[in-house]
Amino acid sequence: MNGLHATGSPYAPHTEADRKAMLEAVDADTVEDLFDIPAEVRFDDHFGIDARTEREARQLVRSTLDRNDDIVELLGRGHYSYYVPSLVDHLADRSEFLTSYTQYQPEASQGFLQALFEYQSLLVELTGLEIANCSIYDAATALGEAATLSDRVRETTGHRVLVPQFLREERRSTLENYIAGTDLTVETYPVDDGNVDLSGLEAALDREAVMVYAENPTVRGTIEENLATIGSLTDANDALFALGTDPIALSLLQRPADVGVDVVVGDASVLGLPTSYGMGLGLFATRERYLRQTPGRLVGASEDATDRRAFTLTLQTREQHIRRERATSNICTNQAWVALRTAMHAAVLGPSGMVDLAKRGVERAEGLAERLDDLIGVHAPVHDRRHFREFVVHVDQPARAVAGDIERHGFAVHVVGDHEIQVCVAGVSDERLDRFVAIFEEVVR
Amino acid sequence: MTDDRSPERVASQSRYDQARYIENGEYEPLLSEKDLTRIEIERVADDGGGAGQKTGHADVEETAENGTANVNATSGGSPLPDDLTRDSLELPELSEPELARHYTRLSQMTYGIDSGPYPLGSCTMKYNPKFTEDVAALPSAAVHPDRPDESIQGTLEVLYRLQDYLARIGGMDAVTLQPPAGAAGEFVGIRVATAYHQHNGEGHRDEVIVPESAHGTNFASAALGGYDVVSLPSDDEGRVDLEALEAALSDNTAALMLTNPNTLGLFERDIETIAAMVHDAGGLLYYDGANLNALLGRARPGDMGFDVMHYNVHKTFATPHGGGGPGAGPVGVVEELAPFLPAPTVRERNGSSRSDEQVYERVDPDRTIGNVHGFHGNWLVLLKTFAYIARLGDGGLADASASAVLNANYLAEQIDYDIPYGPFHHEFVASAGEQDAADVAKRMLDYGVHPPTTKWPEIVPEALMTEPTEVESKATLDRLAAAFNAVKDEADETLKSAPERTTARRIDQTSAARTPRLSWQALSEDS
């Protein structure tokens, strides 16, 4: 039945006898008779895609991907690759989790619902905010959702969304698309040596601002020192304060709720996903007062008919399948399985493991910066700030040439300016960092 | 059985301190000696002495032998000043073996496509081949998005070839792989329509027409793009009402969003007329790919006059739904719309540095709408999609739609519920009649199968929207039909008290919504 399927789908199980009996039952001579498609729009050709055995298909992908250079990535700027414990793959890959659907029948989906409830709880603890949803696609789309939330809940008549001067272009562009249907505008406020320029922000802030966005750590790896002040400034102007961050940073850095943050967004997949060409997990947490305006799915606790605790998707009237054009978002399919992996990874680490991982992110980044700073023609870090995971390096030589030379020795770094490169230590072993310093020294000599 | 215990918590008193109340020598160290920088003992009741700062566990044990105390242990100091860090982190502490059991137990309380049939209408719950998981786990698949083009030729080739596969399958000229889900694909289509109209000096078009029976995402995506949604009624046969469409179309129409076959499983036979009407009005025709599994190899949206479409690869190309995501929603467009696609797309570069192999590069389309994702979408899902299509090829894809349509027709033939609309393709909508469709679904769970989508589309009263897909065998379909028919003959109170055989009995939705408890923290406040 499922040998080498030269023509049919290997996953359609009908034997010839079955097919015959089924056609008879529906009173059709051939399957073609069941298609009610006018001749004018019929496609009677082939796509020109060859069928393959499973082995051949695997081989095709493997040989294609083998064209990727195998180099050590000292890359971050929003996408990180920490070591993911084996338990995560083995348990998340259990096919009940992997092959289930959205939990529209909660009585048969208690396990996944509880896992998502645990994920929500993890974010509540990390952020100090009261509610977290099951996921948005990634950090950029979560930022977009935060802006439309601010548009819905604002008490002012304003329309200005303020974002920092240092921000990934793709993130800003995604935000611009998300607000295209509103009267919001995106404006930039200045930064000062890798942190928010407070006087610049204050000058930019007025009653017309509905949201201020900041990041901690920033895209250039600096730890933001002015969060509480930003919180007060936004509060004084009745604007929402949205912060972009991630679960590892949150394990150590200031708790958003303590500094006046109203919405936390960012990429939660720093835990749970290995490097995956930018695939992520949009985290979204906010205050209880915005519950009815929150986008995305929410899992709530309830009771079943025998009064036992049970979990279910709840407050679905916010969502597109019920509220249609008046929904809080158009999101339907989300990143649930990645959220499961994130919760698993966090659970394996435990609180002390998460804190340690975060501390190492500070110590190893700052340690590497010191070592690079000792080299001739190199200054690191460029910003006179505390750093998390990554930092910017000034090189006297053209940055692109330096990065190219480094890459020929098997290491990838970011080029972020004519004389600036950026390096990230997340997921890179100490031995490799040693080798990287040696190569760097050779390259800039 | 759901566990009622909230996770064990570790109390924290001050910066990464861990505290424990000890009684008469019963002391289990909180931190290993190597992590310990300080221990403080605060006497609660004893014979005096012993309180104060200590250096190690031995001191504590000695002190604790004759009394009761609070012990605070502090681990290695923070590398950061206090004002940049948080005070505590309270999360469960479990060993790896405990976690393995915890998640195994949770998986056992979850029904997946590998558990049994999952005939959710509109959701296309197909079997997910296992080899694609192995492909996604290849170390060479793990690359950072900021790597230069030259060093990730393998990834770019996969993306380029997948763009090409999807363009062929949809009859489109260009494809973007960036949208991370179907709804995100719809949103890209809407944004592309806006950019296209603005480019042509037609920025005043502010309406998108959506059939009443369409997916909720169509309405929401159009609204997110800033459009007024014009709802289009169906005719008596369940298809687009041409007169109503004529009335709805105007100089303000930006686009009509259609699913074909529609949510009743019916092919819109007038599709060429519809396309002509929309185009004559200056609008674009959008294809919602949710039901593409019915058409593979039999018809292509591009040939029907659609200008832009999204593909739900997690449905049509069998990537796992993973409890609700991730999916991916690539968007295909005709030539005229290609310049507006999100940035970047992948193309072949002329003049290659490696003469024997084609070289690929990422480029921003001329008049791109920009980004709808921070990087390049859900790469691992796209990779599995590529592997699936490469496995099936022309014949497999055509067989998928043939078997899906045969299965839906066969199942419909076996069940006793009324099916008001036809001829349908890969899915049908039955009516539960006097029964409440939601109760029917709950009762079906007791027969060990997943129920269909219920109460939607609303055009059918008490709708049971059923899509068996091509992967179910005749024997499974017979079992599924038996479940439908058994429930049809059951008494109302049996349905109302269902399900009986699932992990949880009927769950109180009202209480969940009225008193939202969305975290363990909220639950512990209650108790």
Side-chain angles (χ1 to χ4, degrees), chain B residues 147-337:
Chain B
R147 286 266 295 268
D149 292 352
E150 293 71 24
S151 81
I152 52 165
Q153 284 297 300
T155 294
L156 297 185
E157 182 175 344
V158 166
L159 294 171
Y160 178 82
R161 294 180 70 167
L162 179 56
Q163 286 174 185
D164 175 60
Y165 278 174
L166 294 175
R168 291 169 189 239
I169 290 167
M172 292 282 153
D173 296 319
V175 170
T176 172
L177 301 173
Q178 193 178 106
E186 292 172 20
F187 184 55
V188 166
I190 291 292
R191 293 290 300 134
V192 163
T194 304
Y196 169 80
H197 289 309
Q198 279 175 350
H199 179 74
N200 295 334
E202 306 247 310
H204 64 273
R205 294 178 177 269
D206 59 358
E207 289 177 358
V208 168
I209 305 172
V210 181
E212 259 169 19
S213 61
H215 301 110
T217 46
N218 290 183
F219 298 85
S221 299
L224 182 61
Y227 286 95
D228 294 333
V229 181
V230 179
S231 187
L232 190 66
S234 308
D235 65 14
D236 294 345
E237 297 194 331
R239 293 188 178 82
V240 168
D241 185 327
L242 294 181
E243 276 177 32
L245 176 61
E246 188 60 52
L249 284 165
S250 75
D251 190 38
N252 294 324
T253 305
L256 165 66
M257 299 177 88
L258 272 191
T259 311
N260 199 16
N262 65 22
T263 52
L264 294 167
L266 316 181
F267 194 86
E268 297 284 357
R269 299 188 53 88
D270 297 318
I271 189 62
E272 285 189 297
T273 310
I274 292 169
M277 288 165 70
V278 173
H279 292 154
D280 287 348
L284 294 172
L285 189 58
Y286 183 94
Y287 181 85
D288 172 342
N291 295 341
L292 188 63
N293 206 43
L295 298 186
L296 290 174
R298 299 257 163 350
R300 304 194 304 174
D303 301 338
M304 299 173 208
F306 285 95
D307 306 295
V308 50
M309 69 176 289
H310 80 264
Y311 307 76
N312 294 83
V313 302
H314 40 293
K315 299 183 185 187
T316 317
F317 306 111
T319 64
H321 285 65
V331 168
V333 292
V334 295
E335 192 70 51
E336 217 176 340
L337 299 177

Side-chain angles (χ1 to χ4, degrees), chain A residues 228-298:
Chain A
T229 315
I230 303 167
S232 314
L233 285 175
T234 51
D235 215 32
N237 285 279
D238 283 337
L240 285 196
F241 180 13
L243 183 74
T245 179
D246 69 80
I248 298 175
L250 286 172
S251 307
L252 179 67
L253 305 183
Q254 284 170 289
R255 208 172 67 132
D258 297 340
V259 290
V261 172
D262 301 295
V263 190
V264 174
V265 296
D267 180 16
S269 77
V270 292
L271 291 174
L273 268 193
T275 323
S276 46
Y277 196 57
M279 179 167 163
L281 166 58
L283 74 86
F284 194 100
T286 187
R287 299 184 181 276
E288 188 144 28
R289 76 176 78 113
Y290 304 130
L291 174 60
R292 310 272 159 187
Q293 289 299 332
T294 297
R297 295 179 185 141
L298 294 165

Side-chain angles (χ1 to χ4, degrees), chain B residues 321-398:
Chain B
H321 285 65
V331 168
V333 292
V334 295
E335 192 70 51
E336 217 176 340
L337 299 177
F340 302 99
L341 285 179
T345 54
V346 182
R347 73 173 178 202
E348 290 179 318
R349 186 197 302 163
N350 300 326
S352 122
S353 57
R354 309 182 203 189
S355 54
D356 56 331
E357 283 176 317
Q358 184 57 55
V359 173
Y360 300 90
E361 62 187 355
R362 288 169 288 193
V363 289
D364 294 358
D366 292 345
R367 292 188 286 278
T368 179
I369 60 165
N371 289 72
V372 290
H373 185 271
F375 293 101
H376 306 288
N378 284 333
W379 154 246
L380 294 176
V381 178
L382 298 168
L383 180 59
K384 293 175 196 181
T385 305
F386 174 70
Y388 180 84
I389 297 174
R391 168 87 172 97
L392 264 65
D394 284 353
L397 293 168

Side-chain angles (χ1 to χ4, degrees), chain A residues 80-94:
Chain A
Y80 305 96
S81 32
Y82 289 87
Y83 173 75
V84 179
S86 288
L87 175 134
V88 175
D89 275 345
H90 284 271
L91 275 298
D93 278 348
R94 283 184 65 93

Side-chain angles (χ1 to χ4, degrees), chain A residues 357-413:
Chain A
L357 189 58
K359 285 180 183 173
R360 283 206 303 276
V362 175
E363 288 159 355
R364 297 175 80 241
E366 295 183 346
L368 179 64
E370 268 175 49
R371 293 168 72 187
L372 295 180
D373 195 46
D374 289 342
L375 305 178
I376 309 293
V378 180
H379 169 53
V382 162
H383 299 298
D384 185 21
R385 304 282 181 190
R386 303 306 305 269
H387 285 78
F388 193 88
R389 241 180 344 227
E390 55 192 326
F391 55 92
V392 179
V393 184
H394 171 91
V395 284
D396 288 349
Q397 298 167 26
R400 199 160 293 286
V402 171
D405 288 346
I406 288 171
E407 194 172 335
R408 273 183 285 282
H409 287 88
F411 287 88
V413 296

